Amino acid sequence: MSIGKSSWVTCCAATLVFTTTIANAQITLQNDSGAGTVVCTCFVPGEEAAVWLTSPCAGTLIAVQFGWGSAQGGAPDSLEQAIHIYEAGAFPAPGAEITVGDLAIEGPVLVDGFINEFDITAFAIPISADETIVVSLEFAHANNTGSPFIPSVVHDGDGCQPGKSTVFAIPPNGWFSACVLGVSGDWLIRAVVDCDDEKGACCEMETCSMTTLSLCEQGGGVFQGDATDCSPNPCVEPTGACCLAGGPCIAGLTESQCLAQPGTYEGDGVPCTPDPCIDPTGGCCIGAVGCLVLTQTQCDGVEEGVYAGDDTDCNGDACTP
């Protein structure tokens, strides 16, 4: 039986019960508001109700959920045709069906009055951050009679968001926007993603790679923290100029290498030219003696010595005010 627009607007109220608790590392992807629910008794065998869901994190799909109910309540369990997971195509038509290993979710049994969850952990379906997938329920039984005793998929009834819910209708055997067909809400069809740990820089000796904390530690590396980067390489200790006792400057030592000499580390990236280990000199005005070229330390150690500044000299008598 074909689905016409008029058949979509005669839906009935129902109350659903949440049946799952999601852990902190898991995110439920949903378009529905979770508020009121409306039964849509409007499908024939072979048709599908689907939602477009976008994951905010990279991880693994571990479950899909379907709101299922009847207006009267207490309907027998319903064996439907299949659950499909598609790649995002060009709305309203999804892309290719996702097949990982022996992925086959046929014959789901749905219970009236519940959000039915189906564990798909065994399929290990990966999902990337910001990736959109399409989750669909294919019907095996007609529920388009309008009977309050027949269950069907439900929507929230508080406004249909464009680009979120679709229907595969027979005839004309094609995909349509649920909003265009007159659905007044978003399907209660959801997916649960187990998000990967956030990536960061991992140091194995001086080699840096981007990975998660658990994988870094498994490989014997040192994790630098969530959202850290390998550029610049945090695994290579910076070098700079090192002043040894007596004045010689050695370039390219790390701070720990310099202190082990022992020496004084002049700072990351500091070169030995100009030599940071040699105090600069300048004119030193010493009362009646006149002007001598000394370091500031030497000048300050002379009675009545006044340092004229680095790189000054005694030419032209720097001591004349």
Side-chain angles (χ1 to χ4, degrees), residues 200-224:
C202 175
C203 292
E204 296 182 61
M205 303 298 288
E206 292 189 351
T207 300
C208 183
S209 61
M210 296 295 295
T211 186
T212 63
L213 170 62
S214 57
L215 291 177
C216 180
E217 292 181 342
Q218 287 175 20
V222 179
F223 193 62
Q224 302 300 301

Side-chain angles (χ1 to χ4, degrees), residues 70-162:
S70 65
Q72 186 66 29
D77 295 354
S78 183
L79 175 64
E80 297 303 326
Q81 186 63 36
I83 295 169
H84 302 284
I85 302 175
Y86 301 100
E87 296 176 354
F91 189 88
E97 186 163 7
I98 296 174
T99 56
V100 178
D102 296 326
L103 173 62
I105 314 175
E106 298 180 352
V109 176
L110 293 112
V111 182
D112 185 3
F114 288 87
I115 295 180
N116 294 254
E117 179 170 289
F118 297 89
D119 187 347
I120 59 172
T121 306
F123 301 127
I125 303 172
I127 189 168
S128 302
D130 301 321
E131 180 181 356
T132 297
I133 58 168
V134 181
V135 179
S136 166
L137 176 65
E138 181 182 353
F139 296 87
H141 305 288
N143 55 42
N144 61 337
T145 64
S147 169
F149 301 98
I150 297 179
S152 181
V153 70
V154 302
H155 61 79
D156 57 20
D158 57 6
C160 184
Q161 301 180 71

Side-chain angles (χ1 to χ4, degrees), residues 2-14:
S2 64
I3 295 180
K5 184 174 181 180
S6 60
S7 66
W8 288 92
V9 296
T10 55
C11 303
C12 308

Side-chain angles (χ1 to χ4, degrees), residues 226-305:
D226 291 343
T228 52
D229 203 343
C230 281
S231 181
N233 189 346
C235 310
V236 178
E237 190 176 353
T239 61
C242 178
C243 295
L244 303 183
C249 179
I250 301 178
L253 294 185
T254 65
E255 183 173 9
S256 57
Q257 290 171 335
C258 179
L259 296 177
Q261 291 297 317
T264 302
Y265 190 65
E266 296 298 315
D268 296 345
V270 175
C272 280
T273 304
D275 193 336
C277 305
I278 299 176
D279 290 337
T281 59
C284 179
C285 303
I286 309 172
V289 175
C291 179
L292 296 176
V293 176
L294 302 174
T295 66
Q296 183 170 5
T297 302
Q298 293 170 332
C299 185
D300 291 342
V302 177
E303 187 177 355
E304 297 184 357

Side-chain angles (χ1 to χ4, degrees), residues 154-196:
V154 302
H155 61 79
D156 57 20
D158 57 6
C160 184
Q161 301 180 71
K164 298 296 184 181
S165 298
T166 57
V167 173
F168 182 79
I170 302 174
N173 296 343
W175 288 94
F176 297 88
S177 166
C179 302
V180 171
L181 293 177
V183 180
S184 60
D186 299 311
W187 300 128
L188 263 76
I189 300 177
R190 305 168 178 172
V192 182
V193 178
D194 187 6
C195 297
D196 292 337

